[in-house]
Amino acid sequence: MEEREGEVRWDGLCSRDAAARDAALDTIGQAVLRRAESIASGAAADGLPVPAARDGLGEALARLLMLSKRCPFPDVREKSEAILSGVQELGIRIPRPLGHGPSRFIPEKETIQVGKEDATMHTLFAESFATLGRLDNVTLVMVFHPQYLESFLKTQHYLLQMDGPLPLHYRHYIGIMAAARHQCSYLVNLHVNDFLHVGGDPKWLNGLENAPQKLQNLGELNKMLAHRPWLITKEHIEQLLKTEENSWSLAELIHAVVLLTHYHSLASFTFGCGISPEIDCEGGHTFRPPSVSNYCICDITNGYHGVDEIHASPAGSIPVSSTESVCEVEALMEKMKQLQECRDEEEASQEEMATRFEREKRESMLVCSSEDEESAATRDVSRHFEDTSYGYKDFSRHGMHVPTFRVQDYSWEDHGYSLVNRLYPDVGQLLDEKFHIAYNLTYNTMAMHKDVDTSMLRRAIWNYIHCMFGIRYDDYDYGEINQLLDRSFKVYIKTVVCTPEKTTKRMYDSFWRQFEHSEKVHVNLLLVEARMQAELLYALRAITRYMT
């Protein structure tokens, strides 16, 4: 089973045609069983116990395990299970999943189960599988909100696979660079595989210094966009566009900027929702038999896999009475009602609105964005970027002042959208649609309450994130933020947006304790899109200034 042959065979499973998938899986099954029989018979001839899977068989078995659990096509799931059973009958140990579903924060039984999805979700799953060759855990968590997921997948597909200024292997390498800034090994691993699959040079993966100088030059912009986008100037853009033989074209740079911001914000979602490693990736499976030291054997037979499944309620490990949580929801709804009444009665002056923004901006710097946990970049991830010590810093620390970014002077709608669409056709439209869906998405519910207008709360979350980036809306009263977002929620927001690698399950559990997991995922969609738009605004403004 040579790796290149295996690549060709696996590709056939992405077909939307059942007969083509069936033929591809027959070929895979024959190759896997042939290799397994060779290992088993060799051991028998030498009088030795059957060894563990080796020589590429382990990777193939892990891939089959993923297909048996995560493929949207029932025929592929069933056949993959049958192949694994055939290997097991030869005495070779097959892998089992580690973890309990697509998220470490959300109990598996509360996520959408593959094979039990409705028709709309099945279409999205099938489209995702056909496009990516897998049904990844990000998709399985985002599908709580199918309308958003459809827009997200369409945009990501266009950025990575459709015609565009950058070659395919550059796109995946830029994805690796962006995800690595937040030490997001989940996304790095996925794009390392994709990079190799589209013909990328394996040497580049040994470190950014082994990539072409043109990509190395992008490192500075990647670093600032991820951690301090307010520092980007037209001079940074000029350096990239005027570096002789390693220069970027404007169209290429727009493509790169959109990819960088996409993967910075997707790293926020990955950590914010506790996305688990993919079943067939490192950390997603094991060949060791289950240990019975932590739970009784009856739990294994009943499908219980470990102590983490204790977190079955939204409150998780944070002890709290249901009465207290209900009171939190009622209090939040009452504040929304009072704020609406105040809006109707009087409107603050422009001077007072500006003062409230500056106060909220200062206070956002005092919100601790982590539980004082230093997360050092692992070697495997840190080699994909330079200056590993460079991280998020509040923009007015150490006496340095950065002028407020007024949306009235440069906005996505009036400036950024048209610039992106002009230099990278259709992408501006795709991004605009995705921003609007995330911002306007509502089911008119809050925890157990129905028929609730949540627009005030959604706007407070979006504007708080932009406020952390120094971005101000002249027509918004920033006094509302402190009324609607409590401290634990602010800590979660700031951590997920600014230092996502430090997000913990305790942070996720500690805000909105009576809300559904789908509502917390909804919050993460707002964080993802508000962060991406903030980064884009700073980068696109710098590009506009360079062009004029």
Side-chain angles (χ1 to χ4, degrees), residues 7 20 71 92 110 167 179 185 220 224 250 258 282 314 318 332 354 384 389 420 484 503:
E7 288 283 348
C71 183
I92 293 177
E110 295 187 39
S185 55
E220 186 73 10
M224 285 190 295
L250 267 172
V258 174
E282 186 180 350
I318 308 295
L332 181 55
H384 298 299
S389 64
V420 174
L484 298 174
T503 309

Side-chain angles (χ1 to χ4, degrees), residues 296-347:
C296 79
I297 198 70
C298 59
D299 286 331
I300 301 173
T301 56
N302 288 326
Y304 174 75
H305 300 295
V307 292
D308 288 346
E309 278 193 8
I310 289 169
H311 66 194
S313 71
S317 58
I318 308 295
V320 60
S321 71
S322 59
T323 308
E324 187 183 336
S325 289
V326 170
C327 287
E328 284 178 354
V329 179
E330 303 288 358
L332 181 55
M333 291 181 66
E334 183 59 30
K335 283 178 184 172
M336 289 164 64
K337 181 182 173 186
Q338 289 171 0
L339 285 170
Q340 187 58 55
E341 289 170 356
C342 289
R343 271 187 192 173
D344 296 340
E345 289 171 11
E346 58 177 314
E347 191 172 308

Side-chain angles (χ1 to χ4, degrees), residues 436-497:
H436 276 94
I437 288 172
Y439 188 87
N440 295 314
L441 187 66
T442 184
Y443 306 94
N444 299 112
T445 60
M446 274 181 66
M448 69 294 295
H449 297 276
K450 299 189 186 325
D451 301 317
V452 182
D453 181 357
T454 62
S455 56
M456 181 184 289
L457 186 56
R458 284 180 278 120
R459 190 179 185 193
I461 294 168
W462 185 278
N463 286 0
Y464 179 61
I465 294 159
H466 279 195
C467 178
M468 291 191 304
F469 285 90
I471 298 170
R472 181 188 168 207
Y473 295 83
D474 286 354
D475 61 347
Y476 183 69
D477 181 357
Y478 286 84
E480 292 186 2
I481 289 173
N482 269 340
Q483 297 292 312
L484 298 174
L485 312 183
D486 65 24
R487 183 163 182 80
S488 64
F489 194 12
K490 284 184 171 182
V491 168
Y492 178 79
I493 291 172
K494 186 168 183 181
T495 305
V496 171
V497 171

Side-chain angles (χ1 to χ4, degrees), residues 425-442:
D426 298 329
V427 169
Q429 182 64 42
L430 289 167
L431 292 176
D432 193 59
E433 177 187 294
K434 188 159 64 80
F435 291 147
H436 276 94
I437 288 172
Y439 188 87
N440 295 314
L441 187 66
T442 184

